[in-house]
Amino acid sequence: MEAIVTIENLRKYFDIKKSIFSKPRKVKAINDISLNIPRGSIFSVVGESGSGKSTLGRLILKLIEPTSGKICFEGEDITDLGSKDLIKYRREMQIVQQDPYNSLHPRKLIKDIVGEGLKIHYKLPSDEIYVRIKGILERVGLREEHMFRYPHEFSGGQRQRIAMARALVLRPKFLVLDEPTSALDVSVQARTLALLKELKESLELTYLFITHNLAVVDYIATHVTVMYLGKIMELGSKDEIFSNPKHPYTMSLLEAIPSVGRGKRIRKIPRGEIPSPLDPPKGCLFHTRCLQAMDICSKEEPDEIEISKGHLCRCHLYS
Amino acid sequence: MHNEGSNVISRRQLLVEDWKHTLYLWRQNKLAMVGTVLVAFFILIAIFAPLIAPYDPIEVDLSQTLLPPSSEHIFGTDQFGRDIFSRVVYGARIEVGIILLVTVISGTIGLAVGITAGYFGGVIDDVLMRITDVFLSFPNLILAMALSAMLGRGVFNAIIAISLVGWTIIARLARAESMKIKSLPYIEAIRALGASNIRILLLHILPMCMSPVLVQLSLRMGSIILTAAGLGFLGLGAQPPTPEWGAIVSDGRSYLVEQWWISTFPGLFIALVVLGFNLLGDGIRDMMDPRIRR
Amino acid sequence: MSRLLDVENLRVIFHTYRGTIKALNGIRLWLNEEERLGIVGETGCGKSVSALSVMRLIEAPGEIIDGQILFEGNDILKLSEEDMDRHIRGKRMSMIFQEPISALNPVFKVGFQIAETIAHCNDISIGDAYKLVPESLEMVGLDWKRSIDLYPHELSGGMAQRVMIAMALAIKPKLLIADEPTSALDVTIQAQILQLLDELVKIGKNAVILITHDLGVASEFCDRITVMYAGNVIEISNSEEIFDEPLHPYTKGLISSIPIIGASRELTGIPGSVPDLVSPPSGCRFHPRCDFCFDRCRTEPPTLSEISPGHFVACHLYSDGVKEG
Ligand SMILES: Nc1ncnc2c1ncn2[C@@H]1O[C@H](COP(=O)(O)OP(=O)(O)O)[C@@H](O)[C@H]1O
Ligand SMILES: Nc1ncnc2c1ncn2[C@@H]1O[C@H](COP(=O)(O)OP(=O)(O)O)[C@@H](O)[C@H]1O
Ligand code: SF4
Ligand code: SF4
Ligand SMILES: [Mg+2]
Ligand SMILES: [Mg+2]
């Protein structure tokens, strides 16, 4: 499959200053990541909070500048483009964010929120804009009358639909979905996921689907990347990762999911919590919590190993 | 077009709902009601000054000097025989004018500087905020005095002086607000749509900074009068025979023991109107508090 | 096993400018000693209000307008606020919340706050209580030397929840109420916290009410599950049966919404959303969203009835003894 987005050796370091007197320290939010997102895929990124998932999404959309590395969209290098040259890519890639309560401008009518993209990119007569807004709202399951309301009148699930409409009104090819359903009730999540699946097919989209819920990944994704402290721990097709998980971190994430209606389970969950990215562990980033850690793990960082075609894993167990 | 009629109605209903809610909160807040009444009186007096005032506020009548309050001159007269009541009533116009101009000038400068500094951050922010710091490091009245002394006497110079003192607080507020809003997800989403910085600042951030700034401006109206009166009293603001309240108080200074009415009545008006604005401002601030609002 | 808590016909309203929110519409809940009850339902269904009512923490503009809450045989709605504080709240029942960091006092160190709780419930001096703090912290899996002098904002969400658990269990409560204790945490940390809670509650023989919107969490942790919808209890059953044989259309909808690894099924979800409780739908409050709705549902509210031993449901589909799968 041809890649719609390719990233090579991407890094993003944030400078953190505790106070004006201390010297800045670096948070390696994204630390040397390379991957290809195949056209038409639902490429999911999972990991605990703080592992760098949102940062990755923002980098690809060029909402923040990478420290180093390369980002290509449909084969074009967009890493160093300024805002003028980026404008045509803005139509192609869009974002739906996590928090439905802060992702819509609270003082604007829905028609203005959804129509903003059209106004920025095209000079259209107002009834043309109206028709397009109405069309896209209906596409995501809302109605014409919703155009004249404010965000606070909508439930969380409806707001996510409005955010989808805002992103889709420009007819993008690629969508970053940053935990689009984590703030929603399961009943609403189910319908939202179904809608996303349907939109992907009918509008021929590609998703970068960020989530911390592996059950959601299993439902929707075609590819999975497991991230930890800014690095890829494991990567492969969804079927491969779920049927043949290799990395201890992936396994702990799977292990931690509550089993629905199957009673109590004894589970092997990782110890402790994700370490501070200001001072990540030496050797394997996961060794402080890994249940299978060996001597070498705290000393040497494992390389990425190809388990089978397209299935990568970064762990000493397999070298 | 497109069945818009019914939608417009639903939007109007929304506004009505919002107003009802505001009124409901208003009625709950007794002090704000008192403030509203005081300020309303003040504004009505200013509007209808020619109808209310029995005499000309400026014309000198040496046959009527220093009369105590009576049925003819309810606030008495001053050393030039001018009716204090009429002067106070016309003075309301001047105060309203000062408030409006100062609010508009300081609000505009403050908003412009504040949202720009907050949105861009970095060097722009550093420079703009150091300038604000310089202004903020002097006490209000002292700075106003210094500025109007520099600019020269007169109402307009006083207005400029007070505005130059007042914008800094607005700028700080707008900066904080703009910094907070620029990092919210909806601004990021708008950036992802390809909006330019100018568009984001003017169409998306500015409207969100308006309401805290308006609240702050309304809170400051009392102190604007106070500063204007202070300047007038010191002879730096409005010049005689302009019936600015502070200047009238100042006129009566030397007669305070014997002819107390000259200074007392305008002083009382200053106090009441400042109180009114402060109560009203507090009320508005409380009502804007989202915790109370929803 | 004896009855610890018995809530009957509890009605709670909130006065707002838009009108009265009928948050709890005569709910029934009960709990035996050492039992674990899960309360599940979508956001806004009244789970938290139920918990706060049991703690008698409903404050203006809220009001408990009817019902009784028997705790160890006494109606706590009849107790004075003073008695509530002296004998019940923070003594025989305690609570943990979704946002542990904001539930802690930001200006005091963690160790001091735990000591204060211990001192309050055992009537001992703070100094004596402080000596018990290390043990408390170790019990919840924290390194006491490292955590005793931290301020709440220096804790991660998981650590803060551990501290809350230490405080809540330090008083050896009969009843522990946990309101979405893991909803803000990563799955890994959620699993850790639930495992910890499971162990400690077993040792302490505490009864637990676990509020969660995650049926998976509830089914693993709890013996029995109460499903709430729009201020009503609509189904009660033990944890296995509710998955194998859900009765209420709402419960079925919730279950069919949960993505399960390997299940490869379509997620149906539930159309619409929880109604505004200022003017809830007539009859069965679920009827506008229910696929099985018939005439009677629009006018007559169903009542909770026992369909099989221990399995209660409030739905007209079952009210004539007709039972379907
Ligand atoms: N703007 C920023 N400034 C400083 N640090 C940041 C910024 N954005 C993210 N980080 C840091 O980068 C790391 C990864 O963050 P994020 O991408 O948000 O993770 P995730 O989405 O997986 O939870 C975190 O440690 C976070 O604190
Ligand atoms: N302090 C409050 N003021 C007004 N309404 C409230 C308050 N607390 C809860 N409610 C209302 O009570 C209902 C139930 O809320 P809650 O118990 O918090 O739901 P849940 O915990 O199930 O998400 C909701 O409709 C909510 O709006
Ligand atoms: S390299 Fe070692 S510590 Fe890291 S995941 Fe593999 S076994 Fe665990
Ligand atoms: S009572 Fe009627 S509307 Fe309510 S859940 Fe049962 S079938 Fe559905
Ligand atoms: Mg994130
Ligand atoms: Mg709740």
Side-chain angles (χ1 to χ4, degrees), chain A residues 47-88:
Chain A
E48 288 165 290
S49 53
S51 40
K53 308 182 295 294
S54 301
T55 305
L56 179 63
R58 288 197 183 105
L59 283 170
I60 295 176
L61 295 180
K62 289 277 292 171
L63 291 168
I64 48 179
E65 295 299 320
T67 307
S68 67
K70 192 167 148 190
I71 305 162
C72 297
F73 183 78
E74 297 193 309
E76 306 283 327
D77 186 345
I78 59 168
T79 324
D80 298 318
L81 294 189
S83 53
K84 289 245 162 48
D85 301 312
L86 267 176
I87 192 101
K88 76 170 196 241

Side-chain angles (χ1 to χ4, degrees), chain A residues 247-248 284 286-287 290 292-294 297 302 315-317:
Chain A
H247 199 284
C284 170
F286 189 55
H287 86 258
C290 181
Q292 284 157 275
M294 306 165 286
C297 301
C315 170
H316 285 305
L317 289 173

Side-chain angles (χ1 to χ4, degrees), chain C residues 55-124:
Chain C
M55 294 286 287
R56 252 192 55 191
L57 287 173
I58 297 288
E59 286 168 0
E63 193 187 338
I64 299 178
I65 51 167
D66 198 6
Q68 62 174 16
I69 301 176
L70 294 181
F71 180 70
E72 300 185 304
N74 303 316
D75 189 349
I76 61 167
L77 292 182
K78 299 218 170 76
L79 293 180
S80 68
E81 190 56 27
E82 237 190 342
D83 284 341
M84 200 60 207
D85 254 341
R86 198 173 310 145
H87 304 297
I88 310 281
R89 203 187 295 135
K91 294 261 171 158
R92 306 198 56 80
M93 45 168 108
S94 57
M95 188 158 174
I96 55 182
F97 302 90
Q98 176 171 358
E99 300 284 343
I101 295 178
S102 50
L104 290 165
N105 187 333
V107 299
F108 294 114
K109 290 177 178 172
V110 162
F112 177 77
Q113 294 193 52
I114 298 177
E116 224 183 5
T117 315
I118 299 177
H120 169 77
C121 72
N122 298 326
D123 290 321
I124 55 174

Side-chain angles (χ1 to χ4, degrees), chain A residues 48-49 185-187 189-191 197 215 218-219 242 254 256-261 263-265 267 269-273, chain C residues 42-43 156 158-159 186-192 195 216 219-220 243 257 259 261-262 265-271:
Chain A
E48 288 165 290
S49 53
D185 276 313
V186 274
S187 52
Q189 164 170 290
R191 295 170 60 76
K197 245 183 169 175
D218 183 47
Y219 172 74
F242 278 79
L254 284 165
I257 297 171
S259 57
V260 181
K264 292 198 171 71
R265 250 178 49 203
R267 42 166 54 100
I269 38 181
R271 310 167 278 202
E273 303 189 3
Chain C
E42 288 165 287
T43 311
S156 68
M159 287 168 82
D186 275 310
V187 270
T188 43
I189 311 302
Q190 160 168 292
Q192 290 175 356
Q195 205 163 56
S219 77
E220 254 195 72
F243 283 97
S257 303
I261 291 185
R265 53 169 188 172
E266 272 315 306
L267 303 178
T268 22
I270 308 173

Side-chain angles (χ1 to χ4, degrees), chain A residues 139-153:
Chain A
R139 206 67 200 69
V140 300
L142 294 166
R143 292 190 305 277
E144 185 179 3
E145 74 226 38
H146 291 140
M147 288 170 69
F148 293 89
R149 303 221 183 128
Y150 289 97
H152 74 256
E153 296 170 72

Side-chain angles (χ1 to χ4, degrees), chain B residues 7-8 41 126 140 192 213 253:
Chain B
N7 297 318
V8 173
F41 256 116
D126 284 344
N140 268 350
V213 164
R253 214 163 21 164

Side-chain angles (χ1 to χ4, degrees), chain B residues 2 14 155 164 194 202 205 250 291:
Chain B
H2 303 292
L14 245 173
V155 184
L164 284 180
L202 291 183
I205 294 194
S250 174
R291 276 164 304 173

